[in-house]
Amino acid sequence: MNFRNYLQSTALEIENQINSYKSNWQLEIEQISPKLVDLIDVFTTAWEGGKRLRGSLVKLGYEMSGGQPNTSINEVAVAYEIFQTSILAHDDIIDLSPTRRGKPTVYRQLGGDHYGISQTICLGDIGFFLANKLIVDSNFDSDLKVKALHYFSRMVINTGLGEMLDIELPHLKQERSEDDVIIINRLKTADYTISYPLMIGAILGGASDEKLAKITQFGTDLGIAFQIQDDILGIFGDEHTLGKSVTSDIEEGKNTLLITEAYKNANNEQKQILDKYYGNGEVSSEHLEQIKQVFIDTGALEYSKNMASQYVESAKKLIPELTESEDHRQLLSEMSEFLVNRDK
């Protein structure tokens, strides 16, 4: 089975598990207060869609570490997907994002005002602990669950710190640094997208600490490459395919390799374009095209693509140390290429 097929089949398993959990939880909410049902419905509807990449990696980490067949691993995968929806609900408020997965973001569906933002924050907070509870209730040895929860908690903290740093750097208005970009990419993306899903699954599958350390390095390199590609798509991608805005990164002044490298090589005229439009609120399609051209002409786009490729190659060199299974090695190799050659 290739990685795309693995992802599709595992995503279907996770989807079925999510739907079952959603139905049961909605019944619980209705018993608590019918007034909350519509709010919960908006949140659980946001669980739908997406590639289910992170949940699938939980299962892959479990399987490649020798975990025995146990349907409870799908419950842990669902926990990760609910966390993903929750953190994105908060992130969309921070970024003032209008759409997510081709639909209005949660806070926009709830009105986009103080009420909508308040309820979305509450829903996101609840989602974090639903995820925790799913892991606690899963059918694994207690010691393994405690260890998995320890790593899960560390991941949540790292993701929050990465988000804070991502907000803080534009606020400080200091010279943009590639080192800062890489730190954010590791904390905000690599940890929670690649490293920790694989590690949490691997822990429940009985992986050693030595193996977990290797997974961490693999996930860090691949996750940084994933985020570099995400930043490229965030400006050069197709809005319809992505299901989200291709101007929001520019409007918020997001720190990426594209912008740090562009400033490093830009002439005065190019710097004026960046100073005028990058990080200064709403941009038109014309301004977007001007910024894209600066990224191309300064070599920032090519540089970012090359850096992503280098991180992928570094990650792939570690694959033989992650698992003895040739099938799983093949999946990891194909996954590495898939994550940096995707169009959404």
Side-chain angles (χ1 to χ4, degrees), residues 11 169 240 250 319-320 335:
L169 293 177
H240 178 72
I250 295 171
I319 290 175
M335 177 184 78

Side-chain angles (χ1 to χ4, degrees), residues 120-137:
T120 300
I121 290 171
C122 293
L123 289 166
D125 290 345
I126 290 168
F128 297 151
F129 290 95
L130 285 176
N132 251 37
K133 187 175 185 301
L134 272 164
I135 297 172
V136 169
D137 292 343

Side-chain angles (χ1 to χ4, degrees), residues 39 47 103 116 142 167 208 236 323 329 332:
L39 289 166
W47 297 358
K103 298 180 293 187
S142 294
I167 297 167
S208 66
F236 288 90
T323 177
R329 287 178 180 179
L332 291 169

Side-chain angles (χ1 to χ4, degrees), residues 67 187 218 235 275 279 283 317-318 335:
L187 291 172
F218 170 80
I235 293 175
D275 289 342
V283 295
K317 289 177 182 176
L318 292 166
M335 177 184 78

